[in-house]
Amino acid sequence: MWPKILYDVSEYTALGERMLLPERQARKALASLRKDLGWKVFLDDLLRLHHVLGPIYTDGCKRYRVTRLKYPYDPGTYTFEPL
């Protein structure tokens, strides 16, 4: 089952990888950034992708194909590419 909303945390990853997280994991990641690095980043600052059908998500303008990342990434981590 696909999450209804995924948040783009790409600009906050160490290598600039294209990564999407569901809300709960995105909140945890942002909390750790605020605590460890002192960054003032909140969930509202992130690009939000909404589920359309199957692995297709949209940000309101463009559509993206989303795929789950496997090991060594945490379960529930996704990547995306524009259609």
Side-chain angles (χ1 to χ4, degrees):
M1 185 170 186
W2 294 95
K4 290 183 180 182
I5 298 175
L6 290 171
Y7 295 88
D8 181 10
V9 293
S10 300
E11 58 183 275
Y12 305 105
T13 60
L15 301 174
E17 300 170 295
R18 292 180 146 182
M19 295 182 82
L20 299 170
L21 295 173
E23 183 175 358
R24 177 179 283 158
Q25 289 175 303
R27 284 184 188 276
K28 287 181 183 178
L30 294 178
S32 112
L33 284 175
R34 287 192 298 268
K35 181 180 175 186
D36 299 339
L37 303 175
W39 291 5
K40 298 195 188 261
V41 180
F42 299 96
L43 212 54
D44 293 337
D45 300 329
L46 302 177
L47 174 67
R48 194 177 292 180
L49 298 180
H50 298 270
H51 186 247
V52 177
L53 181 66
I56 308 300
Y57 280 75
T58 184
D59 64 358
C61 299
K62 297 180 184 175
R63 289 183 176 226
Y64 302 89
R65 180 177 310 278
V66 171
T67 55
R68 284 188 179 96
L69 291 172
K70 297 186 178 6
Y71 180 82
Y73 297 97
D74 293 335
T77 304
Y78 300 84
T79 188
F80 64 98
E81 61 185 43
L83 289 177

